[in-house]
Amino acid sequence: MDEGKISSMISSILNGEEQGKESIFEFISHVKNDSISQEYVVEWLKTMHQHGCTNLDVIHLTTAMRESGATLTWQSDKPIVDKHSTGGVGDKMSIMLAPALAACGVRVPMLAGRSLGHTGGTIDKLESIPNFSCIKTPEEMKTIVEEVGCCIVAQNTSIAPADGRLYALRDVTNTIDNVQLITASILSKKSAEGLDALVLDVKYGSAAFMKTLEEARALARSMVDVGNGCGIKTVAQLTRMDEPIGSHIGNALEVLESIHVLNGQGHEDTKQLVVLQGGTLLHLSGKAENEQEGQEMIRHVLENGQAKNVFKAMCIAQGVPIDTAEQLVSHPEDVLPSSKFETLIRSEITGYVTTFDTMKIAQRLRSMGAGRVQLSDDIDHAVGLIIHRHVGDEVKKGDVVLTIHHSVALSEEEQNFFSMCYSIQNQPLRATPRLHSTVS
Ligand code: URA
């Protein structure tokens, strides 16, 4: 691609005009083949990041990146659905949602990511299950989904490779945080799955990437418009992310909590989010008449063991030996890695839990090994914590509020941090629902 064409695309961005489908497809094909000077790509990225482009160009960028790699096509009449979350603390939804949806008769070819910043990644969580393999080709994904109903696989270079190249450049040129670039990046991969319906969990609050409701709404609006523009029925749910989701945080511990939910138990906060997301997808895909009916269907398969059976089948199809998978769902503690140390954090006063310093908790667990600082870092799957008293709960002096799971003895400073990472007041706070509103 010559300099003149790139200059013309850049002028169009600066003038608020369309770059056009043909130019964007040609540009992305050069990015994929690495046949364009990096200098031009960075100049284009910086201009896009600073000035933004037209809505139609975001759709062209999304489809061009999707077409840069393999796309899944489906013969079956079962709807194909998925969910994307912008990342939270204790966000383990996919582990339960994919099998629950499959148990309700839709198909879920889920591509998921690894830990990013302070947030965990579904792939790291699943890799705490011995032998669970998240590395699958598009053909293998199709086979598993056709046999089991769902799979959860790591994003890889077969799907939207141009996005992989652009993302790596965005990472080193400070051009990640742009709503249109994020939209095209996420939706290029999701639309490569051949989806009929997609629910987006866009989080806002102190422990989310989007700190304010306005920022979250702008991202949701952009992703919903582009998702629908790509022919996928797309709805975004704006959910609060200032308090950890459910009771367990950390890779193996989040799988443990997920298995509790798949056994009809587990924390109501976690269960409600799975039910909310699943209900919306069953409605969008036409499997349920309305969201209420969809939610009842999801609750039913979580309670009657059908979702658990699909989860077990997915584990087996993704490499877990049959007897390990059986034991995983019946006695998960015997299969999942456990930490060398457990430290109980007790309340020093009586009252009601009002807040958790969720961002700091996540950053602390990350530095203790639960997440990565660099992409090449190993994860310590056993590190994490369990919350025994949640926001709104009454607590008496001496009650255990948290159990910290760690591999190295806690320093005095760490012990103090965990004793101070929540607050207790005389009066309970009124519970605020996770879901603020939807964008459709
Ligand atoms: N996740 C992605 O896949 N792409 C982005 O741009 C941001 C988050």
Side-chain angles (χ1 to χ4, degrees):
M1 194 170 201
D2 63 39
E3 196 178 346
K5 275 196 178 160
I6 291 281
S7 301
S8 144
M9 287 173 82
I10 288 177
S11 305
S12 301
I13 301 171
L14 294 173
N15 294 330
E17 292 162 3
E18 246 134 53
Q19 298 164 75
K21 184 173 176 179
E22 220 177 282
S23 303
I24 291 180
F25 268 70
E26 189 183 345
F27 173 72
I28 288 301
S29 140
H30 283 292
V31 170
K32 177 203 163 181
N33 297 325
D34 206 10
S35 55
I36 180 170
S37 145
Q38 190 163 306
E39 214 177 296
Y40 290 162
V41 183
V42 171
E43 195 184 341
W44 179 86
L45 270 178
K46 289 195 164 165
T47 316
M48 286 283 282
H49 181 254
Q50 201 180 339
H51 299 276
C53 64
T54 66
N55 292 342
L56 196 56
D57 277 351
V58 185
I59 296 180
H60 295 326
L61 180 60
T62 308
T63 44
M65 294 206 292
R66 176 188 70 201
E67 298 303 322
S68 72
T71 51
L72 303 180
T73 50
W74 305 93
Q75 257 87 57
S76 118
D77 55 357
K78 290 188 176 176
I80 313 291
V81 306
D82 197 2
K83 177 225 50 155
H84 174 81
S85 160
T86 58
V89 178
D91 187 353
K92 56 205 65 94
M93 277 46 246
S94 300
I95 301 171
M96 299 149 280
L97 183 65
L101 284 163
C104 292
V106 296
R107 293 186 157 173
V108 193
M110 190 179 277
L111 285 169
R114 295 186 185 277
S115 80
L116 184 70
H118 68 285
T119 64
T122 299
I123 297 303
D124 295 318
K125 293 169 198 186
L126 286 170
E127 284 180 350
S128 58
I129 301 172
N131 297 105
F132 193 103
S133 166
C134 293
I135 312 295
K136 298 283 171 212
T137 63
E139 292 71 32
E140 288 169 329
M141 279 180 83
K142 274 193 78 168
T143 309
I144 298 171
V145 170
E146 269 153 17
E147 271 171 31
V148 172
C150 62
C151 69
I152 306 181
V153 167
Q155 280 155 12
N156 58 63
T157 49
S158 318
I159 308 255
D163 172 63
R165 281 185 182 274
L166 269 191
Y167 192 89
L169 268 183
R170 284 168 63 205
D171 202 18
V172 292
T173 53
N174 272 333
T175 50
I176 292 279
D177 61 338
N178 171 282
V179 163
Q180 292 177 319
L181 293 174
I182 295 174
T183 298
S185 170
I186 290 170
L187 287 172
S188 62
K189 291 169 289 211
K190 288 293 169 191
S191 62
E193 296 172 359
L195 299 181
D196 298 304
L198 173 66
V199 72
L200 301 162
D201 180 8
V202 182
K203 300 200 175 290
Y204 69 93
S206 57
F209 287 106
M210 301 288 159
K211 300 292 175 220
T212 66
L213 196 51
E214 289 66 39
E215 287 173 296
R217 203 188 293 285
L219 179 60
R221 182 76 270 153
S222 167
M223 291 204 287
V224 166
D225 288 348
V226 173
N228 284 310
C230 292
I232 305 168
K233 286 183 188 155
T234 309
V235 164
Q237 295 170 336
L238 300 178
T239 64
R240 195 170 53 78
M241 184 66 254
D242 44 11
E243 168 192 354
I245 300 169
S247 52
H248 292 48
I249 316 175
N251 295 285
L253 288 172
E254 291 187 38
V255 175
L256 179 63
E257 185 188 348
S258 302
I259 294 171
H260 291 158
V261 172
L262 289 166
N263 276 311
Q265 300 148 8
H267 198 268
E268 196 52 34
D269 184 26
T270 304
K271 216 183 289 183
Q272 275 178 15
L273 258 181
V274 178
V275 166
L276 175 75
Q277 295 168 352
T280 298
L281 279 170
L282 290 179
H283 174 46
L284 278 180
S285 65
K287 271 276 161 188
E289 292 235 324
N290 51 45
E291 298 210 352
Q292 184 72 24
E293 186 185 285
Q295 293 185 4
E296 276 159 25
M297 287 165 72
I298 296 285
R299 256 191 203 282
H300 189 62
V301 295
L302 290 175
E303 273 153 25
N304 70 8
Q306 284 178 302
K308 175 182 71 179
N309 289 338
V310 177
F311 172 76
K312 187 168 71 179
M314 178 180 79
C315 289
I316 295 166
Q318 294 196 227
V320 181
I322 296 173
D323 50 350
T324 311
E326 300 270 3
Q327 208 183 4
L328 177 69
V329 294
S330 57
H331 298 90
E333 285 94 344
D334 296 347
V335 174
L336 294 168
S338 54
S339 61
K340 189 164 169 201
F341 300 103
E342 286 182 22
T343 300
L344 305 182
I345 305 292
R346 293 176 186 278
S347 177
E348 286 160 17
I349 52 174
T350 291
Y352 295 88
V353 179
T354 49
T355 53
F356 282 95
D357 199 340
T358 307
M359 189 70 175
K360 288 209 176 119
I361 291 172
Q363 285 164 339
R364 183 60 66 134
L365 291 175
R366 178 190 186 191
S367 69
M368 287 163 61
R372 293 188 182 80
V373 180
Q374 292 177 42
L375 207 61
S376 54
D377 289 350
D378 282 334
I379 292 258
D380 187 338
H381 290 107
V383 167
L385 62 78
I386 301 177
I387 301 171
H388 303 280
R389 292 286 188 280
H390 296 262
V391 170
D393 287 352
E394 190 176 3
V395 58
K396 298 222 163 33
K397 185 177 172 184
D399 282 353
V400 177
V401 180
L402 303 171
T403 306
I404 316 301
H405 289 238
H406 49 111
S407 305
V408 177
L410 291 185
S411 66
E412 201 180 321
E413 191 272 325
E414 282 170 328
Q415 183 106 19
N416 286 341
F417 167 80
F418 286 114
S419 301
M420 313 271 284
C421 70
Y422 58 93
S423 60
I424 291 182
Q425 310 271 326
N426 291 335
Q427 297 293 323
L429 278 187
R430 273 233 336 261
T432 324
R434 284 273 173 203
L435 177 66
H436 178 277
S437 49
T438 59
V439 174
S440 54

